[in-house]
Structure formats: structure tokens, C-alpha cells
Amino acid sequence: MIPPALSSFAAAHRAVRFAWFKSGLFWRTFFLMSVLTAVSMGAWIGMINVYQRGPQVQQTAETVVSVVTITKAALTHSAPDMRLELLLELASNEGIRIFTLEDTDVIDPPPHNPLMPEIAAIVRQRLGADTRFSSGVNGVPGFYISFNIEDDKYWLMLERERLAGLTRVQWLGWAVVVGLLSVLGAALISSLVNRPLARLTSAARAIAKGERPAPLPEKGSQEIIEANRSFNQMVEDLAQVEKDRAVILAGISHDLRTPLARMGLEVEMANLSQEARDGMQSDIAQMDAIIGQFLDYAKPTEAATFVPVNLSELLSDVGRDAGRIQNLRIRTDLMPGVHVQGNATDLRRVINNIIENARRYGITPGQDYTEIDIVLRVKATGHGRRAVIEIGDHGVGVPPDQIAQLMKPFTRLDSARGQANGAGLGLAIVERVLTRHNAGLEVSNREGGGFLLQVALPLAA
């Protein structure tokens, strides 16, 4: 029985071994085309062996029979004084040599060839059952066939090159050459097939990062042209939506905040009790804060505005400013000199939103203030080395079954519903901005009580 640990290791090893196959469409296409090429070549070679064997055997046997018959007839009918000249001419022009067959000849076995038994059978059927074959006589290599002229016995030697077909090594060599060319062709075809998809994937990834990709080329097959044209149209539509949203936001800022400012001024001038005045001013401030949340959530973060930001100094400044608030206690542990690529204003807004969220809902039990710890470290993650910010409070935390709801826009948990301080967009704004920065966000309850947010930002190059 295989131990569980060994079985798990074997399964993990298999998963790693085949990870390359699952990693991309190029490798899948290349592998499948290579397998198809190998199977086709195997079938092709098999068909050649089956259909070429018979004709090759018949052709070789006919050649041997013809050469022996013609040579035998020439020697039989030539004048005795002309035979020597005839033998010299056959040797020089046709590569045919005639030797007397002696009982003392050292005869090697017939050539080692898969077709030789069938060739020998046909030749013996035509020339006689006593016809002999040899691959060498008296140490002289060649292809030897015996024949008789009356009572005299002779060897006819042909050069092996006249009868030799492709050897196994030659077949293997041609197969390797054809196989390599086929694999290179498969790689080229896979690259050409997958290149439009790779361009589309890269463009989609750029949009996810908040960038505007260059238009995709509208050429190639009809399907590729339609897909790229649709994608380019989508990019144009998204850009137009962003422009329209900017106009709408400007209108909202003017049309809503101007009346709020006028209402605030009228409250100041109205003949009201201090308690009523404070209540109305608080309501107006909350309405203004809600409008601000809407604007922050809808405001785009352009990747073109990203610059190297000294995250250590930014967190230090934010912590120092937040520490001046009466009901906040800020503790910082920051690694110095950590720089990330991003928009400093948006990152400051993210940190402030997290701190404000903790101030409202993470009050330390038994106290009238909120304790917040801010830690900055550079750590190795699954996406490489990143700047990791940990912001945690010492409150009661969040029910585990409700943590996933925190990132949804306009969602406020039960503990927050009694407070009309916001629209439920605080953490949604945080996640939206961090997504534009290609950053990761994890939320969880702290060990020992409280709520913890971890932000992993790419380091500046």
C-alpha cells in the first residue's frame, strides 16, 4: 500500500509536470498538432511499407533475372576469342563481373535484407532451384548470383548500389528530418493562430488596469476581424462613457453641493436654537459626505498618472494626521524607503477611507476610542515581491459569514445601519482604486479581536 504522503507527492508531481500543457492555448495547439503529425507520419510510413514491398520485390527480381539471362545469352552466343573482350566490357560499362564458381570458394550468406527471401524465391522460380545467392565470395563483397552454362558454373556479381533501396537508417533519417520540419511548421501555425488571441488578451488586461490599449488590427480571418472590430468599438464606447461620467460628476458636484452650501449658510443665519442648528449642520455635513463618496466611487483612476510614490512617507503622514483626531490612537511600524507605482492622491484616499471605516465601526471594547495599527513590510507573494500594508483595529471584528459582503457597493452591515454617516461605499471605493493599481486586497478578522485589511501593492521599478 502506498503511503498517503507519497501518493500526495506523486499527484503534485504529475500536476506540475502537466502544468505547461494547461498554461496556454499555444502549447495545447502545438502539442495536438505535433501528435497529429506524428500519427500521420507513422501511417504514411506504414502504407509505404505495405504498398511498396511487393513492387520493390518484383522489380529487383526482374532486374536480377534480366541481367543473368542477357549475360548468359551473350556469353553462350559470342565467339570464343571475343569472350574476354565481352567480359571486360560488361565489367567496365555495366558493373557486371563474371567469375568461375569453384568448390573451394568461401561463400558468405545472402545479403541481410527483409526482402531477400521473396526476391530469391522469384529468381529461383525463373532461373532454377539451384540458383545461389551470396553477399561476398572469397572476401570480395558484392551481390552474387550463380548460373550455369551447360556443365560450367559461374558467379555473376552486381554492385550492391544497383539493387539497394533505402535502408532502415536512411528511412529513420528522412523521418527525423520530416518530423523536425513538421514540428517547426506546427509551432509556426500555432503561433499564427494564437497571436490574435494573445493580442486580444493583452488589450483586455490593459483595460482591466485602467489603460487604453492601441486599436487591434482588423485583418485576418473573418472571425478575427469581427472580434477585433467589436473589441475596438467596445474600447471607444468605454472611453465615451468615461467622458460622459466626468460631465455628469461635474454636474452633480455643482447642482447638489451648491444648494447644500446655501442651506448651510441659511442655517447659520436662521433664528434657531443651538441644538437644532447643530443637528441640521450635522445632517448637511452627512449629505455632503455621501455626495463625496459617490464622486470618489465614480471617479476614474488613470494609469497614466502613476508615478513612483514613497509609501513609507505617505503612511507616516496619514498616520500623523489621523492621530490628531480625538477618538483615534494610531500606532505605526513602517519599513523605510518603500516605493510603489501609483497615484499618491488616490492611495492617500484609500488609506483614509480604511482608517475612517475603522474609526466608525472598530471602537475598542470598553473604551471610547479606536486603536489602529499600521504596518508596512516588503514581502514575497505569488505575484513577486510587493509592498504589503496591514491596517487593523482592536474592535469586535465582523461576523465571518458577512466578510464577503463588505466589498459590495451600497452594503452596510447590521452594526452600521443605525448610523447614517455614509452610503456603504467606503470599502467599495478602496477595492475599486486598488484594482486600478493592480493591487491585492484581503480582509479578515484579527487574531485576538478586531478587523484586519491587507493591501499588496506592486513595487516601483
Side-chain angles (χ1 to χ4, degrees):
M1 182 177 179
I2 301 176
L6 186 59
S7 177
S8 300
F9 175 79
H13 180 69
R14 285 194 301 270
V16 171
R17 208 167 84 192
F18 290 102
W20 63 270
F21 182 72
K22 300 179 179 179
S23 62
L25 185 59
F26 171 81
W27 288 111
R28 294 188 184 187
T29 307
F30 175 73
F31 176 75
L32 293 177
M33 292 188 67
S34 299
V35 170
L36 179 61
T37 301
V39 172
S40 301
M41 286 182 58
W44 175 67
I45 293 174
M47 290 176 62
I48 288 180
N49 286 336
V50 170
Y51 291 103
Q52 188 188 26
R53 185 183 184 91
Q56 186 176 1
V57 168
Q58 191 68 33
Q59 181 181 4
T60 304
E62 292 291 343
T63 301
V64 171
V65 171
S66 298
V67 171
V68 172
T69 302
I70 294 172
T71 303
K72 183 177 179 180
L75 291 175
T76 301
H77 296 90
S78 63
D81 57 343
M82 298 294 294
R83 287 181 179 176
L84 180 59
E85 184 179 350
L86 176 62
L87 293 175
L88 292 175
E89 185 177 352
L90 288 174
S92 61
N93 296 336
E94 302 296 334
I96 300 173
R97 297 181 183 182
I98 307 298
F99 302 96
T100 303
L101 192 156
E102 306 289 347
D103 294 336
T104 58
D105 289 342
V106 179
I107 303 172
D108 295 335
H112 181 68
N113 189 309
L115 306 180
M116 192 62 209
E118 299 179 40
I119 294 173
I122 296 175
V123 172
R124 287 192 178 106
Q125 184 180 4
R126 302 281 296 276
L127 299 180
D130 58 346
T131 304
R132 300 166 67 181
F133 302 88
S134 174
S135 60
V137 176
N138 298 325
V140 180
F143 183 64
Y144 290 82
I145 309 101
S146 69
F147 66 95
N148 301 332
I149 299 178
E150 296 180 354
D151 294 332
D152 297 325
K153 297 180 179 180
Y154 298 92
W155 287 113
L156 185 147
M157 188 192 80
L158 294 174
E159 296 176 352
R160 292 182 179 180
E161 290 76 10
R162 295 185 59 177
L163 301 174
L166 290 177
T167 64
R168 291 178 181 270
V169 175
Q170 289 172 321
W171 274 110
L172 181 60
W174 279 110
V176 169
V177 171
V178 174
L180 289 176
L181 292 176
S182 300
V183 168
L184 291 176
L188 178 61
I189 293 173
S190 300
S191 177
L192 293 176
V193 169
N194 291 293
R195 188 176 300 168
L197 182 58
R199 281 197 293 256
L200 184 61
T201 302
S202 178
R205 190 179 296 116
I207 287 182
K209 293 180 180 179
E211 304 170 358
R212 182 172 180 176
L216 297 176
E218 298 180 9
K219 60 182 180 179
S221 64
Q222 186 63 32
E223 293 80 5
I224 296 298
I225 293 175
E226 292 181 1
N228 288 357
R229 183 176 297 155
S230 300
F231 186 86
N232 292 336
Q233 184 60 49
M234 182 192 71
V235 172
E236 293 294 332
D237 293 343
L238 288 175
Q240 187 60 45
V241 168
E242 291 290 338
K243 294 178 181 178
D244 294 342
R245 184 168 61 179
V247 174
I248 293 174
L249 290 177
I252 290 176
S253 177
H254 179 271
D255 295 342
L256 292 182
R257 280 183 162 165
T258 299
L260 285 178
R262 188 165 56 248
M263 289 171 61
L265 181 60
E266 291 175 353
V267 168
E268 287 289 340
M269 299 177 63
N271 185 16
L272 299 173
S273 65
Q274 188 61 38
E275 182 179 357
R277 180 179 288 106
D278 292 343
M280 295 183 68
Q281 288 177 340
S282 175
D283 292 339
I284 293 173
Q286 289 178 14
M287 293 172 64
D288 187 70
I290 291 173
I291 293 173
Q293 281 194 338
F294 276 108
L295 295 177
D296 287 341
Y297 181 74
K299 184 183 300 181
T301 301
E302 296 293 339
T305 63
F306 288 179
V307 295
V309 177
N310 190 327
L311 190 59
S312 303
E313 292 184 0
L314 187 147
L315 291 175
S316 178
D317 292 343
V318 171
R320 189 183 309 110
D321 294 340
R324 297 191 181 99
I325 301 176
Q326 184 176 1
N327 59 346
L328 276 182
R329 303 290 186 271
I330 304 293
R331 287 190 294 267
T332 59
D333 181 9
L334 309 176
M335 177 183 289
V338 178
H339 291 77
V340 297
Q341 196 76 12
N343 183 296
T345 302
D346 289 335
L347 291 177
R348 186 181 296 272
R349 183 186 302 119
V350 163
I351 304 303
N352 284 331
N353 277 351
I354 295 175
I355 292 176
E356 178 61 19
N357 193 76
R359 185 189 69 82
R360 292 178 179 177
Y361 313 121
I363 299 176
T364 304
Q367 305 293 336
D368 59 352
Y369 56 82
T370 301
E371 297 176 277
I372 299 177
D373 299 326
I374 303 176
V375 179
L376 173 63
R377 293 287 185 271
V378 174
K379 298 181 180 180
T381 68
H383 302 283
R385 290 175 58 80
R386 293 203 165 194
V388 178
I389 308 170
E390 296 182 355
I391 303 177
D393 60 54
H394 294 259
V396 296
V398 176
D401 60 336
Q402 298 185 26
I403 290 180
Q405 305 294 323
L406 289 175
M407 300 301 166
K408 295 182 178 180
F410 310 107
T411 298
R412 299 167 63 204
L413 302 186
D414 291 338
S415 60
R417 286 175 183 165
Q419 306 178 42
N421 295 354
L425 287 172
L427 292 182
I429 295 171
V430 168
E431 185 180 39
R432 186 180 180 88
V433 173
L434 291 179
T435 299
R436 296 287 189 177
H437 282 75
N438 195 26
L441 174 64
E442 294 183 6
V443 294
S444 62
N445 286 318
R446 290 180 71 242
E447 294 183 6
F451 191 65
L452 177 67
L453 289 95
Q454 291 181 313
V455 178
L457 288 159
L459 295 173

mmCIF file of all heavy atoms in Angstrom, residues 279-317:
data_model
loop_
_atom_site.group_PDB
_atom_site.id
_atom_site.type_symbol
_atom_site.label_atom_id
_atom_site.label_comp_id
_atom_site.label_asym_id
_atom_site.label_seq_id
_atom_site.Cartn_x
_atom_site.Cartn_y
_atom_site.Cartn_z
ATOM 1 N N GLY A 279 -27.871 70.038 14.872
ATOM 2 C CA GLY A 279 -28.453 68.862 14.217
ATOM 3 C C GLY A 279 -28.556 69.046 12.716
ATOM 4 O O GLY A 279 -28.240 68.133 11.935
ATOM 5 N N MET A 280 -29.028 70.242 12.284
ATOM 6 C CA MET A 280 -29.166 70.484 10.853
ATOM 7 C C MET A 280 -27.793 70.542 10.169
ATOM 8 O O MET A 280 -27.606 70.042 9.053
ATOM 9 C CB MET A 280 -29.937 71.784 10.617
ATOM 10 C CG MET A 280 -31.389 71.710 11.104
ATOM 11 S SD MET A 280 -32.317 73.224 10.744
ATOM 12 C CE MET A 280 -32.397 73.145 8.969
ATOM 13 N N GLN A 281 -26.819 71.168 10.839
ATOM 14 C CA GLN A 281 -25.476 71.204 10.270
ATOM 15 C C GLN A 281 -24.876 69.810 10.153
ATOM 16 O O GLN A 281 -24.179 69.494 9.180
ATOM 17 C CB GLN A 281 -24.572 72.112 11.127
ATOM 18 C CG GLN A 281 -24.893 73.595 10.992
ATOM 19 C CD GLN A 281 -24.038 74.446 11.912
ATOM 20 O OE1 GLN A 281 -23.482 73.954 12.901
ATOM 21 N NE2 GLN A 281 -23.951 75.753 11.605
ATOM 22 N N SER A 282 -25.175 68.959 11.136
ATOM 23 C CA SER A 282 -24.690 67.575 11.061
ATOM 24 C C SER A 282 -25.324 66.835 9.888
ATOM 25 O O SER A 282 -24.641 66.094 9.152
ATOM 26 C CB SER A 282 -24.989 66.843 12.371
ATOM 27 O OG SER A 282 -24.627 65.481 12.284
ATOM 28 N N ASP A 283 -26.645 67.055 9.689
ATOM 29 C CA ASP A 283 -27.308 66.405 8.555
ATOM 30 C C ASP A 283 -26.744 66.874 7.215
ATOM 31 O O ASP A 283 -26.535 66.079 6.294
ATOM 32 C CB ASP A 283 -28.817 66.677 8.604
ATOM 33 C CG ASP A 283 -29.485 65.975 9.788
ATOM 34 O OD1 ASP A 283 -28.879 65.000 10.300
ATOM 35 O OD2 ASP A 283 -30.591 66.388 10.170
ATOM 36 N N ILE A 284 -26.505 68.194 7.106
ATOM 37 C CA ILE A 284 -25.943 68.728 5.863
ATOM 38 C C ILE A 284 -24.539 68.162 5.625
ATOM 39 O O ILE A 284 -24.170 67.809 4.496
ATOM 40 C CB ILE A 284 -25.919 70.270 5.919
ATOM 41 C CG1 ILE A 284 -27.359 70.819 5.914
ATOM 42 C CG2 ILE A 284 -25.116 70.850 4.751
ATOM 43 C CD1 ILE A 284 -27.431 72.321 6.132
ATOM 44 N N ALA A 285 -23.736 68.061 6.684
ATOM 45 C CA ALA A 285 -22.385 67.516 6.555
ATOM 46 C C ALA A 285 -22.431 66.059 6.116
ATOM 47 O O ALA A 285 -21.614 65.611 5.293
ATOM 48 C CB ALA A 285 -21.631 67.658 7.875
ATOM 49 N N GLN A 286 -23.407 65.298 6.651
ATOM 50 C CA GLN A 286 -23.536 63.893 6.244
ATOM 51 C C GLN A 286 -23.954 63.785 4.782
ATOM 52 O O GLN A 286 -23.447 62.934 4.038
ATOM 53 C CB GLN A 286 -24.546 63.195 7.138
ATOM 54 C CG GLN A 286 -24.046 62.969 8.565
ATOM 55 C CD GLN A 286 -25.091 62.305 9.440
ATOM 56 O OE1 GLN A 286 -26.082 61.783 8.931
ATOM 57 N NE2 GLN A 286 -24.871 62.331 10.747
ATOM 58 N N MET A 287 -24.870 64.641 4.351
ATOM 59 C CA MET A 287 -25.267 64.635 2.943
ATOM 60 C C MET A 287 -24.087 64.980 2.045
ATOM 61 O O MET A 287 -23.888 64.371 0.984
ATOM 62 C CB MET A 287 -26.417 65.634 2.726
ATOM 63 C CG MET A 287 -27.721 65.224 3.410
ATOM 64 S SD MET A 287 -28.975 66.522 3.326
ATOM 65 C CE MET A 287 -29.229 66.596 1.554
ATOM 66 N N ASP A 288 -23.274 65.947 2.464
ATOM 67 C CA ASP A 288 -22.103 66.314 1.673
ATOM 68 C C ASP A 288 -21.096 65.168 1.623
ATOM 69 O O ASP A 288 -20.464 64.918 0.586
ATOM 70 C CB ASP A 288 -21.448 67.559 2.274
ATOM 71 C CG ASP A 288 -20.322 68.094 1.423
ATOM 72 O OD1 ASP A 288 -20.607 68.629 0.337
ATOM 73 O OD2 ASP A 288 -19.149 67.949 1.823
ATOM 74 N N ALA A 289 -20.963 64.450 2.752
ATOM 75 C CA ALA A 289 -20.044 63.303 2.781
ATOM 76 C C ALA A 289 -20.529 62.193 1.859
ATOM 77 O O ALA A 289 -19.731 61.528 1.187
ATOM 78 C CB ALA A 289 -19.897 62.792 4.214
ATOM 79 N N ILE A 290 -21.854 61.969 1.820
ATOM 80 C CA ILE A 290 -22.405 60.939 0.933
ATOM 81 C C ILE A 290 -22.162 61.298 -0.526
ATOM 82 O O ILE A 290 -21.785 60.453 -1.344
ATOM 83 C CB ILE A 290 -23.914 60.760 1.211
ATOM 84 C CG1 ILE A 290 -24.123 60.112 2.586
ATOM 85 C CG2 ILE A 290 -24.562 59.900 0.120
ATOM 86 C CD1 ILE A 290 -25.573 60.041 3.026
ATOM 87 N N ILE A 291 -22.353 62.578 -0.870
ATOM 88 C CA ILE A 291 -22.067 63.021 -2.234
ATOM 89 C C ILE A 291 -20.585 62.798 -2.552
ATOM 90 O O ILE A 291 -20.210 62.352 -3.648
ATOM 91 C CB ILE A 291 -22.449 64.494 -2.414
ATOM 92 C CG1 ILE A 291 -23.977 64.656 -2.309
ATOM 93 C CG2 ILE A 291 -21.959 65.031 -3.755
ATOM 94 C CD1 ILE A 291 -24.426 66.092 -2.301
ATOM 95 N N GLY A 292 -19.724 63.101 -1.577
ATOM 96 C CA GLY A 292 -18.290 62.880 -1.774
ATOM 97 C C GLY A 292 -17.970 61.414 -2.023
ATOM 98 O O GLY A 292 -17.104 61.089 -2.848
ATOM 99 N N GLN A 293 -18.684 60.506 -1.311
ATOM 100 C CA GLN A 293 -18.458 59.078 -1.543
ATOM 101 C C GLN A 293 -18.871 58.677 -2.951
ATOM 102 O O GLN A 293 -18.173 57.905 -3.616
ATOM 103 C CB GLN A 293 -19.222 58.246 -0.512
ATOM 104 C CG GLN A 293 -18.545 58.173 0.843
ATOM 105 C CD GLN A 293 -19.150 57.071 1.705
ATOM 106 O OE1 GLN A 293 -20.283 56.647 1.481
ATOM 107 N NE2 GLN A 293 -18.396 56.627 2.692
ATOM 108 N N PHE A 294 -20.009 59.190 -3.404
ATOM 109 C CA PHE A 294 -20.441 58.894 -4.772
ATOM 110 C C PHE A 294 -19.395 59.366 -5.786
ATOM 111 O O PHE A 294 -19.060 58.662 -6.739
ATOM 112 C CB PHE A 294 -21.794 59.560 -5.066
ATOM 113 C CG PHE A 294 -22.972 58.760 -4.606
ATOM 114 C CD1 PHE A 294 -23.723 59.157 -3.507
ATOM 115 C CD2 PHE A 294 -23.347 57.607 -5.267
ATOM 116 C CE1 PHE A 294 -24.811 58.420 -3.084
ATOM 117 C CE2 PHE A 294 -24.436 56.864 -4.849
ATOM 118 C CZ PHE A 294 -25.175 57.270 -3.754
ATOM 119 N N LEU A 295 -18.881 60.574 -5.570
ATOM 120 C CA LEU A 295 -17.889 61.107 -6.501
ATOM 121 C C LEU A 295 -16.599 60.288 -6.473
ATOM 122 O O LEU A 295 -16.005 60.008 -7.521
ATOM 123 C CB LEU A 295 -17.593 62.571 -6.154
ATOM 124 C CG LEU A 295 -18.758 63.550 -6.338
ATOM 125 C CD1 LEU A 295 -18.347 64.944 -5.885
ATOM 126 C CD2 LEU A 295 -19.199 63.573 -7.789
ATOM 127 N N ASP A 296 -16.161 59.888 -5.276
ATOM 128 C CA ASP A 296 -14.944 59.092 -5.174
ATOM 129 C C ASP A 296 -15.124 57.726 -5.835
ATOM 130 O O ASP A 296 -14.200 57.211 -6.472
ATOM 131 C CB ASP A 296 -14.564 58.896 -3.702
ATOM 132 C CG ASP A 296 -14.019 60.177 -3.083
ATOM 133 O OD1 ASP A 296 -13.607 61.076 -3.846
ATOM 134 O OD2 ASP A 296 -14.010 60.284 -1.845
ATOM 135 N N TYR A 297 -16.305 57.123 -5.675
ATOM 136 C CA TYR A 297 -16.541 55.798 -6.246
ATOM 137 C C TYR A 297 -16.575 55.865 -7.780
ATOM 138 O O TYR A 297 -16.084 54.974 -8.463
ATOM 139 C CB TYR A 297 -17.855 55.227 -5.718
ATOM 140 C CG TYR A 297 -18.156 53.842 -6.242
ATOM 141 C CD1 TYR A 297 -17.469 52.733 -5.774
ATOM 142 C CD2 TYR A 297 -19.123 53.654 -7.224
ATOM 143 C CE1 TYR A 297 -17.731 51.470 -6.250
ATOM 144 C CE2 TYR A 297 -19.394 52.392 -7.722
ATOM 145 C CZ TYR A 297 -18.705 51.298 -7.219
ATOM 146 O OH TYR A 297 -18.976 50.052 -7.707
ATOM 147 N N ALA A 298 -17.160 56.936 -8.316
ATOM 148 C CA ALA A 298 -17.313 57.027 -9.770
ATOM 149 C C ALA A 298 -16.105 57.627 -10.456
ATOM 150 O O ALA A 298 -15.951 57.490 -11.658
ATOM 151 C CB ALA A 298 -18.552 57.865 -10.112
ATOM 152 N N LYS A 299 -15.209 58.269 -9.698
ATOM 153 C CA LYS A 299 -14.079 58.947 -10.315
ATOM 154 C C LYS A 299 -13.087 57.914 -10.853
ATOM 155 O O LYS A 299 -12.659 57.027 -10.134
ATOM 156 C CB LYS A 299 -13.389 59.846 -9.282
ATOM 157 C CG LYS A 299 -12.252 60.682 -9.859
ATOM 158 C CD LYS A 299 -11.581 61.487 -8.760
ATOM 159 C CE LYS A 299 -12.566 62.429 -8.096
ATOM 160 N NZ LYS A 299 -11.915 63.224 -7.038
ATOM 161 N N PRO A 300 -12.694 58.002 -12.127
ATOM 162 C CA PRO A 300 -11.730 57.041 -12.685
ATOM 163 C C PRO A 300 -10.315 57.335 -12.207
ATOM 164 O O PRO A 300 -9.956 58.469 -11.912
ATOM 165 C CB PRO A 300 -11.854 57.254 -14.200
ATOM 166 C CG PRO A 300 -12.278 58.671 -14.341
ATOM 167 C CD PRO A 300 -13.154 58.972 -13.144
ATOM 168 N N THR A 301 -9.519 56.272 -12.119
ATOM 169 C CA THR A 301 -8.102 56.395 -11.797
ATOM 170 C C THR A 301 -7.312 56.058 -13.036
ATOM 171 O O THR A 301 -7.287 54.911 -13.476
ATOM 172 C CB THR A 301 -7.714 55.438 -10.645
ATOM 173 O OG1 THR A 301 -8.496 55.750 -9.497
ATOM 174 C CG2 THR A 301 -6.237 55.594 -10.307
ATOM 175 N N GLU A 302 -6.674 57.060 -13.624
ATOM 176 C CA GLU A 302 -5.948 56.855 -14.867
ATOM 177 C C GLU A 302 -4.558 56.299 -14.569
ATOM 178 O O GLU A 302 -3.809 56.858 -13.764
ATOM 179 C CB GLU A 302 -5.829 58.174 -15.633
ATOM 180 C CG GLU A 302 -7.161 58.753 -16.087
ATOM 181 C CD GLU A 302 -7.825 57.886 -17.149
ATOM 182 O OE1 GLU A 302 -7.113 57.094 -17.793
ATOM 183 O OE2 GLU A 302 -9.045 58.016 -17.329
ATOM 184 N N ALA A 303 -4.210 55.176 -15.244
ATOM 185 C CA ALA A 303 -2.885 54.589 -15.054
ATOM 186 C C ALA A 303 -1.792 55.533 -15.553
ATOM 187 O O ALA A 303 -0.642 55.439 -15.138
ATOM 188 C CB ALA A 303 -2.799 53.244 -15.767
ATOM 189 N N ALA A 304 -2.158 56.442 -16.454
ATOM 190 C CA ALA A 304 -1.164 57.382 -16.985
ATOM 191 C C ALA A 304 -0.654 58.331 -15.909
ATOM 192 O O ALA A 304 0.409 58.940 -16.068
ATOM 193 C CB ALA A 304 -1.766 58.171 -18.149
ATOM 194 N N THR A 305 -1.405 58.489 -14.807
ATOM 195 C CA THR A 305 -0.989 59.391 -13.736
ATOM 196 C C THR A 305 -0.104 58.698 -12.715
ATOM 197 O O THR A 305 0.288 59.312 -11.730
ATOM 198 C CB THR A 305 -2.227 59.967 -13.025
ATOM 199 O OG1 THR A 305 -2.960 58.888 -12.397
ATOM 200 C CG2 THR A 305 -3.143 60.664 -14.010
ATOM 201 N N PHE A 306 0.221 57.420 -12.910
ATOM 202 C CA PHE A 306 1.009 56.682 -11.926
ATOM 203 C C PHE A 306 2.470 57.130 -11.977
ATOM 204 O O PHE A 306 3.061 57.222 -13.058
ATOM 205 C CB PHE A 306 0.929 55.182 -12.184
ATOM 206 C CG PHE A 306 -0.403 54.573 -11.846
ATOM 207 C CD1 PHE A 306 -0.632 53.224 -12.051
ATOM 208 C CD2 PHE A 306 -1.428 55.344 -11.326
ATOM 209 C CE1 PHE A 306 -1.854 52.652 -11.748
ATOM 210 C CE2 PHE A 306 -2.659 54.795 -11.022
ATOM 211 C CZ PHE A 306 -2.874 53.445 -11.244
ATOM 212 N N VAL A 307 3.017 57.379 -10.797
ATOM 213 C CA VAL A 307 4.432 57.762 -10.648
ATOM 214 C C VAL A 307 4.974 57.006 -9.433
ATOM 215 O O VAL A 307 4.200 56.495 -8.613
ATOM 216 C CB VAL A 307 4.576 59.286 -10.453
ATOM 217 C CG1 VAL A 307 4.119 60.046 -11.689
ATOM 218 C CG2 VAL A 307 3.809 59.755 -9.215
ATOM 219 N N PRO A 308 6.289 56.913 -9.270
ATOM 220 C CA PRO A 308 6.824 56.310 -8.046
ATOM 221 C C PRO A 308 6.407 57.116 -6.813
ATOM 222 O O PRO A 308 6.555 58.333 -6.772
ATOM 223 C CB PRO A 308 8.347 56.359 -8.263
ATOM 224 C CG PRO A 308 8.507 56.394 -9.755
ATOM 225 C CD PRO A 308 7.342 57.193 -10.258
ATOM 226 N N VAL A 309 5.856 56.421 -5.826
ATOM 227 C CA VAL A 309 5.357 57.064 -4.608
ATOM 228 C C VAL A 309 6.100 56.480 -3.416
ATOM 229 O O VAL A 309 6.223 55.247 -3.293
ATOM 230 C CB VAL A 309 3.837 56.837 -4.442
ATOM 231 C CG1 VAL A 309 3.350 57.446 -3.135
ATOM 232 C CG2 VAL A 309 3.079 57.423 -5.621
ATOM 233 N N ASN A 310 6.606 57.358 -2.540
ATOM 234 C CA ASN A 310 7.256 56.896 -1.312
ATOM 235 C C ASN A 310 6.166 56.505 -0.333
ATOM 236 O O ASN A 310 5.595 57.345 0.368
ATOM 237 C CB ASN A 310 8.145 57.987 -0.732
ATOM 238 C CG ASN A 310 9.020 57.471 0.410
ATOM 239 O OD1 ASN A 310 8.626 56.594 1.162
ATOM 240 N ND2 ASN A 310 10.225 58.025 0.504
ATOM 241 N N LEU A 311 5.847 55.208 -0.301
ATOM 242 C CA LEU A 311 4.743 54.728 0.517
ATOM 243 C C LEU A 311 5.035 54.881 2.004
ATOM 244 O O LEU A 311 4.122 55.117 2.805
ATOM 245 C CB LEU A 311 4.454 53.265 0.170
ATOM 246 C CG LEU A 311 3.184 52.658 0.758
ATOM 247 C CD1 LEU A 311 1.954 53.428 0.302
ATOM 248 C CD2 LEU A 311 3.052 51.192 0.352
ATOM 249 N N SER A 312 6.289 54.769 2.391
ATOM 250 C CA SER A 312 6.641 54.907 3.815
ATOM 251 C C SER A 312 6.303 56.308 4.317
ATOM 252 O O SER A 312 5.682 56.473 5.386
ATOM 253 C CB SER A 312 8.133 54.613 4.011
ATOM 254 O OG SER A 312 8.461 53.320 3.533
ATOM 255 N N GLU A 313 6.676 57.318 3.541
ATOM 256 C CA GLU A 313 6.378 58.697 3.957
ATOM 257 C C GLU A 313 4.881 58.967 3.900
ATOM 258 O O GLU A 313 4.332 59.659 4.764
ATOM 259 C CB GLU A 313 7.135 59.674 3.062
ATOM 260 C CG GLU A 313 8.639 59.639 3.242
ATOM 261 C CD GLU A 313 9.328 60.689 2.392
ATOM 262 O OE1 GLU A 313 8.614 61.432 1.675
ATOM 263 O OE2 GLU A 313 10.574 60.789 2.461
ATOM 264 N N LEU A 314 4.201 58.443 2.876
ATOM 265 C CA LEU A 314 2.757 58.679 2.759
ATOM 266 C C LEU A 314 2.011 58.109 3.966
ATOM 267 O O LEU A 314 1.145 58.788 4.556
ATOM 268 C CB LEU A 314 2.243 58.056 1.463
ATOM 269 C CG LEU A 314 0.786 58.334 1.070
ATOM 270 C CD1 LEU A 314 0.642 58.405 -0.447
ATOM 271 C CD2 LEU A 314 -0.150 57.256 1.615
ATOM 272 N N LEU A 315 2.339 56.883 4.355
ATOM 273 C CA LEU A 315 1.674 56.273 5.516
ATOM 274 C C LEU A 315 2.024 57.007 6.798
ATOM 275 O O LEU A 315 1.183 57.152 7.698
ATOM 276 C CB LEU A 315 2.070 54.802 5.628
ATOM 277 C CG LEU A 315 1.525 53.868 4.536
ATOM 278 C CD1 LEU A 315 2.090 52.468 4.695
ATOM 279 C CD2 LEU A 315 -0.003 53.821 4.602
ATOM 280 N N SER A 316 3.270 57.486 6.887
ATOM 281 C CA SER A 316 3.656 58.238 8.069
ATOM 282 C C SER A 316 2.847 59.533 8.181
ATOM 283 O O SER A 316 2.370 59.888 9.276
ATOM 284 C CB SER A 316 5.154 58.544 8.022
ATOM 285 O OG SER A 316 5.548 59.303 9.134
ATOM 286 N N ASP A 317 2.674 60.231 7.057
ATOM 287 C CA ASP A 317 1.889 61.478 7.077
ATOM 288 C C ASP A 317 0.425 61.197 7.414
ATOM 289 O O ASP A 317 -0.181 61.923 8.219
ATOM 290 C CB ASP A 317 1.980 62.160 5.704
ATOM 291 C CG ASP A 317 3.389 62.676 5.417
ATOM 292 O OD1 ASP A 317 4.174 62.793 6.368
ATOM 293 O OD2 ASP A 317 3.670 62.923 4.230
#
